[in-house]
Amino acid sequence: MQIFKNDCYLKAAFRKKVNKTPIWIMRQSGRYLPEYQNIKKKAGDFLSLCLNVELASQATLLPINLFSLDAAILFSDILIVPYAMGMNLTFLNDFGPCFLNPIKSRFDMEKLIVPHPEEHMNYVLKIIKIVCHEISYKIPLIGFSGSPWTLACYMIEGNAKKNFSKIKKMLYENPKDLHFLLKKLTDSVILYLNAQINAGVSAIVIFDTWGGILNRKKYKKFSLFYIQKIIKQLSLIKNEYKIPVTVFTKNANAWLKDIVSSGCDVIALDWSVDIQKALKKVGKYVALQGNMDPHVLYAEENYIQKETDLILSRFGFREGHIFSLGHGILPDTDPKKVKFLVDSVHQLSQKYHQKIY
Ligand code: CP3
């Protein structure tokens, strides 16, 4: 484990003793922050912001300067990988990401390249280097990627607002082609994440947002199998320090034990599961991240505090918990509530780490 002034995120990921439960938040740099809106305005739009080394570095650092978060996360998007593979990506306001040339055939898949990060995504590596220099061992920086399945969902559907009928049709009609694409994505993600590690990230998260739309058998074959392959091929030891890997599959609470077999160190939970039940199932093998419903941040402070304590108490007097929301923070969240949540987690969690065992 790498040494940071604040190393409670990394310690918790390896289920080691901490004094307080760490917290970071998915989309911690995002639209709920007026300062983020200003940075985005300077870049022009969201994609231009991801491509702008200086502004994306500022966006990464923004939330850790505003709140006592225990990890920074690279400011980018999972769809930067398909973009670098040759797909035409846009982000429409209030609609989210959209591929103007979704994949329809094997020919479309064959046209895509396996990007070389140093050549095709060098801007991401530069952002990581700048941010690592700026945070200079204060807290760890998390790097990330989408899972091949989740990336393929966007690439085949064009967006993820519909019912996933196109990718599911391909899965049953033409599984060989889908596997061809998933394999190409797997190769791309392995290169990309290893390059992020080389550039300086201290932890990895794999977002499998749409794994849960599959049934268990298909999940194992079309999503988990590739996540497993990726984790196996990551260079997770850096200068003798180990880099933890988190897997987040939304709506996969029935398959937590399967996810353990990916080789991850942490399973990120959405908010639909009781963390104590998840702990009973997989707590022997992995740390857990989560799992407050992001909507709770609409509530008054009193309620937020109660919900925070409830999650902490359900996890109980043991190590291996990273506090987080069960999904991304909502754009109309009051930043004051974020500060309140972060401080509450730190205060309320201390009692759970005092026991000697
Ligand atoms: O968490 C962070 O602060 C790091 C940056 C980050 C973003 N996206 C920035 C972003 C990360 C880790 C992601 C991951 C991501 N992107 C996922 C996996 C996690 C999840 O949300 O399930 C997915 C599926 C995407 C694809 C994507 N990008 C979607 C579906 C959207 C629209 C979401 C929405 O809330 O409207 C985006 C846009 C996006 N990615 C924004 C940000 C800050 C908002 C864009 C804006 O400012 O206009």
Side-chain angles (χ1 to χ4, degrees), residues 144-269:
F144 69 88
S145 153
S147 71
W149 167 260
T150 290
L151 296 176
C153 283
Y154 286 98
M155 293 160 84
I156 291 169
E157 298 292 327
N159 60 63
K161 295 256 145 124
K162 301 223 176 78
N163 55 3
F164 300 95
S165 58
K166 290 183 189 136
I167 191 164
K168 286 199 172 170
K169 200 154 189 251
M170 190 183 287
L171 187 153
Y172 287 100
E173 273 183 6
N174 210 344
K176 272 196 182 145
D177 281 357
L178 186 52
H179 280 301
F180 175 80
L181 177 63
L182 292 168
K183 169 88 178 53
K184 206 167 201 177
L185 281 163
T186 299
D187 293 342
S188 305
V189 168
I190 291 167
L191 287 174
Y192 183 48
L193 289 179
N194 276 328
Q196 288 189 30
I197 292 170
N198 255 333
V201 304
S202 302
I204 293 288
V205 178
I206 298 174
F207 291 105
D208 185 28
T209 306
W210 302 117
I213 65 166
L214 294 165
N215 63 43
R216 182 174 174 217
K217 201 167 113 195
K218 298 297 181 205
Y219 171 68
K220 283 168 87 170
K221 209 163 169 183
F222 287 85
S223 187
L224 191 59
F225 172 75
Y226 292 100
I227 294 175
Q228 234 157 15
K229 254 184 131 166
I230 291 167
I231 296 178
K232 252 191 211 136
Q233 292 194 56
L234 293 183
S235 310
L236 293 171
I237 310 277
K238 201 174 76 178
N239 311 329
E240 77 201 69
Y241 298 120
K242 193 160 183 282
I243 292 182
V245 179
T246 298
V247 171
F248 170 71
T249 297
K250 203 169 167 220
N251 287 323
N253 297 319
W255 317 324
L256 295 178
K257 275 200 179 148
D258 295 322
I259 299 176
V260 169
S261 71
S262 70
C264 65
D265 303 285
V266 185
I267 293 182
L269 304 171

Side-chain angles (χ1 to χ4, degrees), residues 269-284:
L269 304 171
D270 64 29
W271 67 86
S272 66
V273 63
D274 175 351
I275 198 163
Q276 192 170 70
K277 286 192 181 144
L279 190 63
K280 277 193 186 133
K281 276 194 205 163
V282 296
K284 255 195 275 171

Side-chain angles (χ1 to χ4, degrees), residues 20 106 140 164 195 208 298 312 356:
K20 59 176 199 262
R106 175 80 174 221
F164 300 95
D208 185 28
Y298 290 150
L312 291 169
I356 307 204

